[in-house]
Amino acid sequence: MSDKQTFAEIILPLPLDGTFTYEVPLGWDLKVGQRVAVQFGKRKIYTGIIHSFHHNKPELYKTKFIESILEEEVFVLPQQIKLWEWIADYYMCSLGDVFKNAFPTALKLESDTFVKLVKGKEFPAEEGISKNAYLIWEALHHRSLISVDEAADILDLKSVIPVLKELLDYGLIELDERLIEKYTPKIEYYIQTEISLQDDSLQDVLSELEKAPKQRELFFQLVMRQQQSSKPVLASKFIKEFGGSYAILRSLADKGIIKFFEDTSDRIQEFDEDLHDIHALSEHQQKAIYEIRTNLKEHDTVLLHGVTSSGKTEIYIKLIERVLAKGKKVLYLLPEISLTTQLTQRLQKHFGNQIGIYHSKFNQNERVELWQKTINNDYQILIGARSSMFLPIQDLGLIIVDEEHETSLKQNDSKPNFHARDTALVLAKLEGAKTILGSATPSLEMYFAAKQGKIGYVELSHRFGGVQPPVMEIIDLRRAQKKKELNGDISMRLENQIRDTFKNDKQVIIFQNRRGYAPVMECKSCGHTPYCPNCDVALTYHRLSHQLKCHYCGHSQAKPNKCYQCKSVELETKGIGTEQIEEDLLRIFPNNSIARMDVDSMRKKFAFEKLIKAFENREVDMLVGTQMVTKGLDFEHVNLVGIIRADSLLNFPDFRAHERAFQRIVQVAGRAGRRKDRGLVLIQAFSADHKILQYASQFKYHEMAQEILYERRDFLYPPFVKMIEITFRHKNRDRCYKTANYYAESLRKYFDEKTLLGPEAPSIARMNNNYYFKVLVKILPNQSAKKVKILLKDALENLHQVKSFRSVRIDFDVDPY
Ligand code: ADP
Ligand code: ZN
Ligand code: ZN
């Protein structure tokens, strides 16, 4: 061993650039990717990840030693660290920002209070001390540390603090303020007795327990239970069945009558149904697979452009099989895992327990368990939304990005603002893996890359089973209005068609992209509209909860009975949300079962799963919902899809608005007529002639793509340029603008008026009492994005020389989406 000092660079969960240097204590054998605890600043302790080692003693400051190693095993793979570095670099954030996002929070250490035994003390034989105190003291002989929560479990008591205090006062235990993992494996207690019905000793024991009838009864039940099977019995289940408590079982254990032991159990439920064989592929599917394989010889990435219901999932399954056969693993990325129970169930039917699902509704402990199982190679396939790409998967062979056009693949609400699809391509490269991007309505970025030959392209334009694509019909709402053919917001045509569909014993899906009852309330006499006090947006009226709500900051207030301004009682609503449509439909179809699917109605855990089941079992005839109903649902009996107001999809202040409107319409249309009978889609719109509605209703993807791509080229938008958006945020509007303006001005010498835009206030200029300004930079194909990023960072540093600018929050968003 060299006697040179060794230093480790450590990644810490801090929004500061780079890694941090610590000295490795002599004789410690550490590995890259291991977790360690280090002290940062005066008091704070953090968990960090070892990034690298070296012998260069920092000259400017005195390094601290690494405090402790958290486990022997490596926790983050070297290629993951490389991916983190790429993300930090490309998306302009710190390595710590990536680390914080990539890691389940329960694996980050915090100071916590646990208790431990004071060694060498006898339990006092005093009257006053409680039985509970004794139980905890005794439990501490089996485990060195017990948390407050665990103590509560052991005693089956809500408040154990008094018991712990008792022990503390007697000097029997002490607090342990060592760093404790938040992650605790779920402990299950089992009980067992060696005494059987046939034993002579049975009678003795029963008489011994004469004075403790509850103990006696539980003991007897346990004997009876073990008569059937000699396996240990789960204590919690046993108590549920026969009553009693852990304390009673403990007393039996103390007397040596039963045995009490613990086992850690898996929280993640195993899949234990029978596995299904893989379907035979249709001719078109086989051809697509063949083309994908051919393409993969030349390209690392293939875009599978398969119309809705063309059977892409079955193709993925076949491809996955191949990869697994080679001993490699698969990462299956989805936009939103909670909306895809149908898909995960289909995959589980084929692959069973080889699949690990990284569910966004998992709690921290479940996440940790999945992380550990992944690094232990317990899974061959990992499925999840964008954060699952941070799982420590070894020997990755294939990444599937399903619904690659979906906006939720981009993380917008917290750092890093990464796009899971684009990052997946980098991950695949680091791993030598292949990537399949799948969509019925590819993003124009990927479509363009395919057309340029940068990635492979395979088209599948037939629905599985020879089913025809649905018939699309646009209903002109202006005409319907004139001819008085509207019932609320439902046209006669749609109403009649719903009736027919029900008559034929089929189901209906209705799509309206706004939730609540109405997006705006207005006073009939003075025109006043209630706005959010914190944001520059009108409040949405929610009729079911009698509230006005802000969909941006969560503010809510009771619905007023009078106008705030002129006190008139004549208030009307403008625009329509899902609640109103549901109300209309309930009025028109009082004898049918109608369910709403939006954020408001799907808040509870499993609400979504339950509704899907009910719809599948045909307990529900019609689903009314927001975007949620457009995504990937596969129901056999849906023959009609109605879009209430397609116009509301078109008018967004975003250069991608048209592309997205096309995608939404085609995706929701794809829910109709997925088996045998041809489906029908009715699109209600005021601007019935709009070219996007025309393209969508004729499934003219290529024409739409070409037209929008021309516009993007002319007006310098992606994929022809790269964009970086810089957002300025401050409570004071003036300071916010001045800062943004100073920043933009300092960059003008490098850009022209076409490539540096702003500062401009976004369409919602104030949110949560903060004002926003944006500066947009466009990077031309002949420019180096790397250099531009350096310019932007340098400009930020210059800006921070001016004190009054420092309080303005500035965020970079690379490839805004
Ligand atoms: P997509 O993902 O392209 O919209 P799906 O994979 O959901 O399409 O397929 C549409 C329907 O056709 C599903 O119900 C699926 O089970 C069925 N299907 C697709 N391929 C096959 C096959 N080879 N054999 C049997 N059923 C299939
Ligand atoms: Zn008024
Ligand atoms: Zn608000």
Side-chain angles (χ1 to χ4, degrees), residues 279-280 285 309-314 346 464 634 674-675:
H279 294 294
Q285 283 171 321
S309 208
S310 56
K312 293 187 287 297
T313 315
E314 302 297 324
R346 265 167 80 185
F464 177 77
D634 182 37
R674 290 172 74 86
R675 318 283 155 81

Side-chain angles (χ1 to χ4, degrees), residues 62 187 281 363-364 437 460 515 522 663 676 710:
K62 193 174 166 340
I187 306 274
L281 295 188
N363 63 34
Q364 287 302 331
L437 310 172
L460 182 57
R515 63 195 177 91
E522 204 178 81
Q663 286 160 343
K676 290 189 227 104
Y710 278 138

